[in-house]
Amino acid sequence: MPPGAKKDRATRIGEHMSYQLLDEQTEWEPETDKLLHVLPIVGTAFRKVFFDSDKGRNAALYVSALSLVINYQARSLERTPRITEEMAFYPHEIEEKVAAGVFLEIDYPTAPNADGDVDAPIEFLEQHRWYDLDSDGFREPYIVTVHKDSSKVVRIVARYDLDGIKYNRTKGKIQKIEPIHYYQAYQFLPNFEFKGSIYGTGFGQLLLPLNSSINTTLNMLIDAGHLANTQGGFIGKGLSMNSGSMRFQPGEYKQVNSPGAAIRDNIVQLQFTGPSPVLFQLLGMLIEAGKEIASVKDVLTGENQQPNTPATTTLAMIEQGLKVFTSIYKRVYRSLKGELGMLYRLNRIYLDQETSYKVGDNWRQITRADYEKGSGVEPVSDPSMVSDMQKLGRAGFLMQFASDPMMNGKEIRMRMLDAAGIDDIPALFNPNPAPNPAVLAKAMELHTKQTDAESKQTEAQASAELKRAQALAARASAILSFAPADELVGGMHVAYAQHELDAIRLMMDAQAQGQAQIAEQAQPGPDGAPAATPPVGGAPARLAPPQQLAPESAGPAAGAIPASPNSFLAAARGGDIPG
C-alpha cells in the first residue's frame, strides 16, 4: 500500500457517508432531530438501520421505546434473545411489498379500529429472534414478520451471513452463528433502578417529583393571591342588601335596610394574608434543585454574564456546567459510532462496485472495495465539541495569542470565525494585509539588538587586531634596535676568521719553502758530493705575531689583524688582549 493510501481512503469514506446521511437518506436528519428531543425526556431511544430494498439505499429510522418490546432486564441488544417491533404499514405500502416479493400474498383485512377507513394503517409485529427453522437441533437467528390481527406469518428472512458462521472442524458441526443487529440503543442516563438494563433514565423521571412539588407550590401561591385580591366574608341577616357584586358610579350612594346598628357591625370580612413568603422561598429552592439536577446553568443559557469576563473564566464555567452533559454526549456518540458501523457494513454489502457522491459542487468516485473488511478504516464521531458556546469559549481563549509572534494569528482568527458559524471565511481575509504594528515593533527591537551585538563584536575584533599590531610593532622595534650590535659583532667574526685564514696560509707557505730548501740541499753536487744539510734543530722562521687591536673609536688600522670576538669582549671590559 503506497504512503497516504489509507488516509485517502478514510477521507473518501468520510465524505461519502456524510453525503449518504445528509443527502441520500432524507429521513436521517429529521429522525435524528426527533430522537435527540425525545431522548432527554424518556431516557431511551432506538435507531433501526437496514437496507431499504424498495428505495435501493440504506435507511436509518427512529424507533420509540414504546414501540420496541424488549425484556426490561436485558443488558444489551446484542445478547437479548428476542426483540419485537410494533410497526404499521398503509395498504398501498403492503401492496408494494407483496409485489416486490417481500410479504406473502394473503388477505390483509382492514384494521379493526379504522372506523371504515380503508386507507388506515395496518399493524404488524416484526420479531428478531432465534428459531430452528430447518429442524436440525440448532436455532438460527431470523426476522419473522407477523400480521397482528390475523397472527399470520408474512415474512421470514435470515438474520446472519456466511461471515457470522463459526464451524467446529473437530466436532464437525456449527459452533456459533453471529446474528446481524439492526437496532442501536441510545441511552441518556444509566438505569438507576436496575443496573445494567438497556433502558436508561431521562429527565422526565428525575424531575417528575420536583415538577409535581413545584406545580403544587405554584398553585398554592396563585390561589392565595387570588383570595387576597377577591376577598369574601359574612353578612348578618338583619342587613338587607344585595349580597352580590355592586357597581358604583362616582358620587353615588346605595340604599340598604339596616335595623339601626352600624353596617360594619353586620359585615364580617375574612382575612386572607396573600401568598406566603415561605412558599415563595420553597418554590425558588425547588427550581434551583431542578436546575442542579438538569445541570442548566445561567452561563449555558446566555444569562448572568458580567461584562469583560475573561475567556478562561467563561470556559471554566461552561466546563463545570457541562459535567453531566459531557457524559451524556459521550453515550450518544458511542451509540452513533455503532450506528455508523452498521451503515459501513451495509455499504460493504450493497454498495455498487463504483458510485459517485457530491462534495460541494464536485462529484467524486468511491468503490465498494474501499469498505472492505479489515482495511483499518472505521467511522467514528468526535465528542470533543459538544456545543457552539464551548467552541466559542475555546476560540476566545486562543484569541489572547493572536498577536504572539510565535503563534499563527490568521489560523486563530479563522477558528474564531468558524466557532461563530461565519460562512465563507477565506473571503473575509485581506490578500495583502497591513503589517501588524506590534509585530513590526518587536521585529525592530530584535533588529536593533542584533545590530548592537554585531557592533560590539566588530569593536572587540578591531581592538584585538590593534593590540596585536601594537605587539608586532614593539617586537619589530626591539629587533631593529639590536640590528647595529648584531652587525658589528658579525663583522668582527668575519675579520677574525680572515685573520686566522691568513695566518694558516702564511704557515703553509713557510712549510712549503722549508721543504723545497731541504730537497734542494739533498741533491748531489757537481762532484758528486751531497748538498749541505740544514742545521739540526733548525726550524722555519717564526711568523710575526698579530698586531694589537686598535681602539674602537679609531677603527681598525690599515693592515691590522682583528682579534677574536672573545678578545674584543675582553678589551671592552678593560682586560688584556691575548696575542
Side-chain angles (χ1 to χ4, degrees), residues 5 232 552:
E552 182 180 359

Side-chain angles (χ1 to χ4, degrees), residues 154-345:
V154 299
R155 179 174 182 256
I156 297 179
V157 62
R159 195 164 56 98
Y160 62 92
D161 52 21
L162 293 178
D163 294 338
I165 300 176
K166 307 298 181 183
Y167 187 77
N168 192 329
R169 296 183 179 276
T170 303
K171 296 184 178 181
K173 62 179 182 179
I174 296 176
Q175 176 181 344
K176 180 182 178 181
I177 297 180
E178 188 68 30
I180 298 172
H181 304 288
Y182 289 77
Y183 296 97
Q184 177 63 47
Y186 283 79
Q187 196 177 79
F188 190 70
L189 292 173
N191 192 309
F192 303 111
E193 179 180 357
F194 182 80
K195 294 183 180 180
S197 174
I198 194 172
Y199 289 101
T201 303
F203 283 150
Q205 297 168 267
L206 294 176
L207 299 178
L208 181 60
L210 284 176
N211 187 59
S212 300
S213 300
I214 290 173
N215 289 339
T216 302
T217 304
L218 189 60
N219 289 334
M220 293 172 66
L221 290 173
I222 293 175
D223 292 341
H226 178 71
L227 291 174
N229 290 334
T230 57
Q231 297 296 327
F234 302 98
I235 298 177
K237 292 183 178 181
L239 181 62
S240 177
M241 62 177 293
N242 184 8
S243 61
S245 61
M246 300 180 66
R247 297 182 180 181
F248 286 86
Q249 295 292 334
E252 181 182 5
Y253 291 87
K254 300 287 186 180
Q255 292 183 355
V256 295
N257 294 326
S258 175
I263 295 177
R264 68 166 61 100
D265 295 337
N266 291 281
I267 298 177
V268 179
Q269 183 177 356
L270 297 178
Q271 298 298 321
F272 298 102
T273 57
S276 171
V278 177
L279 285 178
F280 188 76
Q281 293 176 2
L282 177 61
L283 178 63
M285 184 185 70
L286 292 174
I287 292 176
E288 288 299 322
K291 287 185 177 182
E292 290 293 332
I293 293 177
S295 298
V296 181
K297 302 294 184 181
D298 292 335
V299 66
L300 300 179
T301 59
E303 302 175 3
N304 196 23
Q305 285 294 298
Q306 300 297 329
N308 300 324
T309 303
T312 53
T313 303
T314 303
L315 185 60
M317 295 173 64
I318 294 173
E319 292 287 349
Q320 183 65 28
L322 288 175
K323 288 293 185 181
V324 177
F325 285 150
T326 301
S327 62
I328 293 171
Y329 270 90
K330 183 177 180 180
R331 283 185 286 272
V332 171
Y333 276 102
R334 185 168 60 234
S335 300
L336 183 58
K337 179 182 178 181
E339 178 184 337
L340 295 177
M342 294 179 182
L343 292 172
Y344 187 92
R345 172 190 167 274

Side-chain angles (χ1 to χ4, degrees), residues 501-511 543-544:
L501 184 61
D502 292 341
I504 293 172
R505 186 181 296 112
L506 290 176
M507 291 177 64
M508 292 179 66
D509 291 344
Q511 289 179 359
L543 295 176

